[in-house]
Amino acid sequence: MVSYVSVLLYGVGGIVVAGMALLVAFQEKLVYVPVLPGLTKSYPITPARLRLVYEDVWLRSSDGIRLHSWFIKLFPECRGPTILFFQENAGNIAHRLEMVRIMLQRLQCNVFMLSYRGYGASDGYPSQHGIINDAQAALDHLSQRTDIDTDRIVVFGRSLGGAVGSVLTKNNPDKVAALILENTFTSILDMAGVLLPLLKWVIGGPGTKGPKILNFLVRSPWSTIDIIGQVKQPILFLSGLQDEMVPPSHMQMLYAKAAARNRQCIFVEFPTGMHMDTWLSGGDQYWRTIQQFFEKHVPKTGYDIAAAGRSTL
């Protein structure tokens, strides 16, 4: 007769094997979703549809992958500030254009939108190492432009984009003026247990319980909690308290980790904000919060005011 202990061990072993199989086979598809269900990989619209001033920018990542991006200007002579925007894990940059249109109007800025490898018109397949390289290529491009104020480049990342932006900002203290994080997770290791509860016993970050014996299988851990404390630039945390994807506690933990070493951190909550619509449900408070952050860390110059005046003539 098989003992209860043996049955338990077999059960645990089965969970471990099943978890390993899921991770090895499907983890990239869980983390990266370039194509939304029922849609195609291509862009449904371009900035031209919204009458935005833009250019198509093609880049090469350090490993040779060809990347597509849009550089959208408030008006042709606008020198900044310039937001380097990193999107969430699902869909492509075209799905963020309506938000970016309002961003330009409310913040009086330029926006550079990068398509990660494997997303939109970019080549390749997404991975953590690859996307970090892609982000660096975008920042290097912006830093070499002569038509913007390169001292006022602000990185803005939402969800996965916040993980991308945190690494880039930490690695480039002389190129990035400030960082904005919105509804970002502490790590994919922590999110594994949120999305697939059975995995929380075998995968997790530093603050989770369990043996974490499958952590080594995670190819894209995106451990923002380990990066954010090393960011020296000002950081604005925007947290939607109704986030149905990333528990708001993740943003609170990121803020606590950053603020312990960085006195230039601001944390703002939006009571009705969900994962994707905090910018919309936050209304005027959302945009005023970012405006105030800009006024303090990337203020307007005399050239901005004069150029804006000329653009209205």
Side-chain angles (χ1 to χ4, degrees):
M1 182 177 177
V2 179
S3 69
Y4 287 113
V5 174
S6 297
V7 171
L8 180 62
L9 290 175
Y10 280 124
V12 172
I15 291 174
V16 171
V17 171
M20 291 179 68
L22 282 171
L23 278 176
V24 172
F26 299 114
Q27 64 177 277
E28 268 79 20
K29 292 184 178 180
L30 293 172
V31 177
Y32 309 111
V33 189
V35 182
L36 293 170
L39 300 179
T40 65
K41 184 173 180 285
S42 60
Y43 303 126
I45 62 173
T46 71
R49 175 77 67 83
L50 301 181
R51 299 182 179 180
L52 299 176
V53 177
Y54 82 105
E55 64 179 279
D56 287 292
V57 178
W58 294 93
L59 306 171
R60 288 280 179 186
S61 195
S62 59
D63 57 357
I65 297 296
R66 189 168 182 252
L67 307 170
H68 177 253
S69 53
W70 286 324
F71 185 40
I72 306 174
K73 280 200 160 189
L74 176 64
F75 52 85
E77 294 80 24
C78 182
R79 292 186 57 81
T82 297
I83 290 177
L84 175 51
F85 179 78
F86 296 119
Q87 67 161 75
E88 308 88 328
N89 73 319
N92 60 52
I93 54 177
H95 300 124
R96 281 80 193 175
L97 278 174
E98 180 58 28
M99 183 274 297
V100 167
R101 181 184 68 82
I102 297 174
M103 177 180 282
L104 266 71
Q105 294 173 352
R106 294 298 300 263
L107 304 182
Q108 297 290 288
C109 65
N110 305 315
V111 180
F112 191 95
M113 305 179 75
L114 170 71
S115 278
Y116 307 136
R117 61 184 59 205
Y119 283 69
S122 293
D123 295 338
Y125 299 92
S127 68
Q128 177 170 331
H129 179 72
I131 290 176
I132 289 173
N133 289 340
D134 300 346
Q136 188 65 54
L139 178 60
D140 289 345
H141 168 81
L142 280 178
S143 298
Q144 294 165 10
R145 293 186 72 112
T146 59
D147 61 337
I148 66 169
D149 184 347
T150 56
D151 290 330
R152 292 187 292 160
I153 296 174
V154 177
V155 169
F156 189 134
R158 181 182 294 136
S159 192
L160 171 66
V164 178
S166 296
V167 174
L168 184 70
T169 302
K170 187 266 290 186
N171 290 343
N172 295 271
D174 298 328
K175 292 182 178 180
V176 178
L179 172 65
I180 301 175
L181 297 185
E182 182 177 323
N183 297 337
T184 297
F185 46 76
T186 53
S187 73
I188 291 296
L189 298 174
D190 291 329
M191 283 301 297
V194 173
L195 300 175
L196 299 170
L198 284 178
L199 292 181
K200 68 182 179 181
W201 301 107
V202 289
I203 297 176
T208 58
K209 299 178 181 179
K212 309 171 191 175
I213 59 177
L214 298 188
N215 279 10
F216 74 97
L217 290 175
V218 179
R219 292 187 288 268
S220 292
W222 288 113
S223 190
T224 312
I225 194 70
D226 293 327
I227 297 296
I228 199 67
Q230 302 175 56
V231 173
K232 298 178 181 179
Q233 299 94 315
I235 311 174
L236 174 60
F237 295 82
L238 305 172
S239 178
L241 297 185
Q242 302 304 315
D243 193 327
E244 73 286 9
M245 293 291 294
V246 177
S249 60
H250 283 224
M251 284 289 285
Q252 294 165 4
M253 287 187 281
L254 290 174
Y255 170 73
K257 185 69 175 289
R261 297 185 178 183
N262 185 343
R263 295 185 178 180
Q264 302 182 92
C265 296
I266 302 172
F267 186 87
V268 182
E269 296 177 332
F270 299 90
T272 61
M274 299 181 72
H275 190 63
M276 299 285 287
D277 78 346
T278 299
W279 67 273
L280 187 60
S281 63
D284 189 59
Q285 181 198 359
Y286 178 90
W287 297 112
R288 280 192 290 105
T289 296
I290 303 176
Q291 286 171 347
Q292 291 166 4
F293 184 73
F294 273 26
E295 288 167 4
K296 183 173 183 179
H297 299 293
V298 286
K300 289 182 180 179
T301 66
Y303 182 92
D304 296 332
I305 298 171
R310 289 194 299 271
S311 71
T312 60
L313 296 178

